[in-house]
Amino acid sequence: QTITIDRGSDDGVRADAGVIASGGVVGRVMTGVTAHAARVQLIVGRNAGAGALVERLNAEYPVAGGGEGLPLRLLYLPNSYEIQVGDRIVTSGHDRVFPAGYLIGWVGQAERGNGQWRIGVSPAANFAHLSYVLVLADSGPDGAGRP
Protein backbone atom coordinates (compact mmCIF):
# COMPACT_ATOMS: atom_id res chain seq x y z
CA GLN A 1 0.00 0.00 0.00
CA THR A 2 1.39 3.33 -1.08
CA ILE A 3 0.44 6.94 -1.62
CA THR A 4 2.05 9.50 -3.90
CA ILE A 5 2.96 12.93 -2.58
CA ASP A 6 3.47 16.04 -4.70
CA ARG A 7 6.96 16.78 -3.45
CA GLY A 8 10.19 15.26 -4.72
CA SER A 9 13.94 15.61 -4.94
CA ASP A 10 13.69 19.30 -5.95
CA ASP A 11 12.04 19.83 -2.53
CA GLY A 12 14.68 17.85 -0.63
CA VAL A 13 12.69 14.60 -0.42
CA ARG A 14 14.84 11.48 -0.54
CA ALA A 15 14.36 7.74 -0.27
CA ASP A 16 13.95 6.25 3.23
CA ALA A 17 12.83 9.53 4.78
CA GLY A 18 10.15 9.07 7.42
CA VAL A 19 6.67 10.44 6.77
CA ILE A 20 4.25 11.54 9.49
CA ALA A 21 0.84 13.20 9.71
CA SER A 22 -0.80 15.15 12.52
CA GLY A 23 -2.03 11.88 14.06
CA GLY A 24 1.18 9.89 13.87
CA VAL A 25 3.50 7.80 11.71
CA VAL A 26 2.42 7.32 8.08
CA GLY A 27 5.33 5.48 6.43
CA ARG A 28 8.58 6.00 4.59
CA VAL A 29 9.58 7.39 1.18
CA MET A 30 10.34 4.65 -1.32
CA THR A 31 13.16 4.63 -3.88
CA GLY A 32 12.53 6.27 -7.23
CA VAL A 33 11.90 9.81 -6.02
CA THR A 34 11.36 12.14 -8.98
CA ALA A 35 11.87 15.90 -9.12
CA HIS A 36 8.27 16.65 -8.12
CA ALA A 37 6.79 13.47 -6.66
CA ALA A 38 7.55 10.57 -4.35
CA ARG A 39 5.84 7.35 -3.37
CA VAL A 40 5.35 6.60 0.30
CA GLN A 41 5.08 3.05 1.64
CA LEU A 42 2.36 3.13 4.30
CA ILE A 43 3.27 1.59 7.64
CA VAL A 44 0.05 -0.45 7.51
CA GLY A 45 1.16 -2.12 4.27
CA ARG A 46 1.95 -5.82 4.22
CA ASN A 47 5.75 -5.43 3.86
CA ALA A 48 6.15 -2.33 6.02
CA GLY A 49 7.46 -1.93 9.53
CA ALA A 50 9.25 0.26 12.03
CA GLY A 51 11.27 0.03 15.21
CA ALA A 52 8.83 0.51 18.08
CA LEU A 53 8.73 1.01 21.82
CA VAL A 54 5.92 0.12 24.21
CA GLU A 55 6.21 3.27 26.33
CA ARG A 56 4.82 1.97 29.61
CA LEU A 57 7.09 -1.09 29.54
CA ASN A 58 10.09 0.57 27.91
CA ALA A 59 10.25 -2.51 25.68
CA GLU A 60 11.54 -2.29 22.09
CA TYR A 61 10.07 -4.61 19.49
CA PRO A 62 9.26 -4.12 15.80
CA VAL A 63 5.87 -3.17 14.43
CA ALA A 64 4.82 -4.69 11.11
CA GLY A 65 1.99 -3.73 8.83
CA GLY A 66 -0.87 -5.84 7.61
CA GLY A 67 -1.50 -9.51 7.87
CA GLU A 68 -3.68 -11.66 10.10
CA GLY A 69 -6.58 -9.19 9.79
CA LEU A 70 -4.74 -6.51 11.80
CA PRO A 71 -3.69 -3.07 10.51
CA LEU A 72 -0.45 -3.25 12.54
CA ARG A 73 1.16 -5.94 14.68
CA LEU A 74 3.71 -5.65 17.47
CA LEU A 75 6.04 -8.61 16.99
CA TYR A 76 7.99 -10.94 19.26
CA LEU A 77 6.89 -9.56 22.65
CA PRO A 78 7.32 -12.46 25.12
CA ASN A 79 4.46 -13.54 27.38
CA SER A 80 6.53 -12.44 30.38
CA TYR A 81 5.57 -8.81 29.66
CA GLU A 82 2.23 -7.53 30.91
CA ILE A 83 0.93 -5.67 27.88
CA GLN A 84 -2.39 -3.84 28.17
CA VAL A 85 -4.96 -2.64 25.66
CA GLY A 86 -4.39 1.10 25.32
CA ASP A 87 -0.59 1.00 25.77
CA ARG A 88 1.06 3.67 23.59
CA ILE A 89 3.40 2.47 20.86
CA VAL A 90 5.98 5.01 19.65
CA THR A 91 9.00 4.88 17.35
CA SER A 92 12.17 3.62 19.02
CA GLY A 93 14.58 5.57 16.83
CA HIS A 94 16.65 2.46 16.08
CA ASP A 95 15.32 1.71 12.58
CA ARG A 96 17.22 4.72 11.18
CA VAL A 97 14.05 5.97 9.47
CA PHE A 98 12.11 7.55 12.35
CA PRO A 99 13.57 9.37 15.33
CA ALA A 100 12.44 8.19 18.75
CA GLY A 101 9.10 9.25 20.16
CA TYR A 102 6.74 9.59 17.19
CA LEU A 103 3.33 8.05 17.90
CA ILE A 104 2.60 4.87 15.93
CA GLY A 105 -0.60 3.89 17.73
CA TRP A 106 -2.10 2.05 20.69
CA VAL A 107 -2.50 -1.59 21.58
CA GLY A 108 -5.98 -2.45 20.34
CA GLN A 109 -5.97 -6.15 21.15
CA ALA A 110 -3.64 -8.50 22.99
CA GLU A 111 -3.80 -12.27 23.34
CA ARG A 112 -1.22 -14.52 24.94
CA GLY A 113 0.10 -16.94 22.36
CA ASN A 114 2.54 -19.80 22.30
CA GLY A 115 5.42 -18.05 24.12
CA GLN A 116 4.63 -14.63 22.62
CA TRP A 117 1.81 -12.14 22.67
CA ARG A 118 -0.35 -11.65 19.57
CA ILE A 119 -0.75 -7.88 19.59
CA GLY A 120 -2.83 -5.74 17.25
CA VAL A 121 -1.95 -2.05 17.14
CA SER A 122 -4.53 0.57 16.17
CA PRO A 123 -2.66 3.16 14.09
CA ALA A 124 -2.67 6.77 15.25
CA ALA A 125 -2.69 8.19 11.71
CA ASN A 126 -6.02 8.23 9.93
CA PHE A 127 -5.15 6.55 6.62
CA ALA A 128 -8.64 7.09 5.22
CA HIS A 129 -8.21 10.88 5.37
CA LEU A 130 -4.58 11.76 4.65
CA SER A 131 -4.62 15.26 3.21
CA TYR A 132 -1.28 16.55 4.43
CA VAL A 133 1.87 14.74 5.47
CA LEU A 134 5.27 15.86 6.66
CA VAL A 135 8.44 14.32 5.26
CA LEU A 136 11.22 14.25 7.83
CA ALA A 137 14.38 15.80 6.45
CA ASP A 138 17.53 13.83 7.11
CA SER A 139 15.61 10.97 8.71
CA GLY A 140 17.40 8.31 6.69
CA PRO A 141 20.50 6.33 7.63
CA ASP A 142 22.67 9.21 8.82
CA GLY A 143 20.06 11.83 9.61
CA ALA A 144 18.71 13.45 12.73
CA GLY A 145 15.04 13.21 11.73
CA ARG A 146 14.08 16.84 11.83
CA PRO A 147 10.93 18.13 10.04
Side-chain angles (χ1 to χ4, degrees):
Q1 292 176 313
T2 64
I3 59 171
T4 300
I5 59 174
D6 62 353
R7 295 291 185 262
S9 57
D10 283 0
D11 304 295
V13 174
R14 63 185 182 85
D16 291 325
V19 179
I20 61 173
S22 61
V25 170
V26 171
R28 70 169 182 85
V29 175
M30 300 173 72
T31 58
V33 176
T34 67
H36 302 290
R39 283 189 10 199
V40 175
Q41 178 187 34
L42 300 179
I43 195 169
V44 293
R46 187 173 270 303
N47 296 317
L53 176 78
V54 181
E55 275 189 328
R56 185 180 58 80
L57 303 175
N58 196 32
E60 289 187 42
Y61 289 90
V63 165
E68 301 180 36
L70 304 169
L72 286 168
R73 298 170 291 137
L74 184 68
L75 304 176
Y76 314 123
L77 188 73
N79 283 337
S80 59
Y81 283 96
E82 292 301 323
I83 194 86
Q84 297 173 1
V85 170
D87 277 345
R88 279 174 49 99
I89 310 296
V90 298
T91 55
S92 69
H94 292 128
D95 59 12
R96 303 184 80 166
V97 173
F98 296 100
Y102 284 97
L103 183 61
I104 296 172
W106 299 269
V107 172
Q109 68 181 62
E111 301 172 8
R112 286 190 195 271
N114 199 8
Q116 297 176 12
W117 283 94
R118 183 176 184 269
I119 301 168
V121 177
S122 300
N126 183 347
F127 292 94
H129 298 286
L130 284 177
S131 297
Y132 297 97
V133 297
L134 180 71
V135 177
L136 301 175
D138 298 325
S139 64
D142 300 319
R146 60 185 193 276

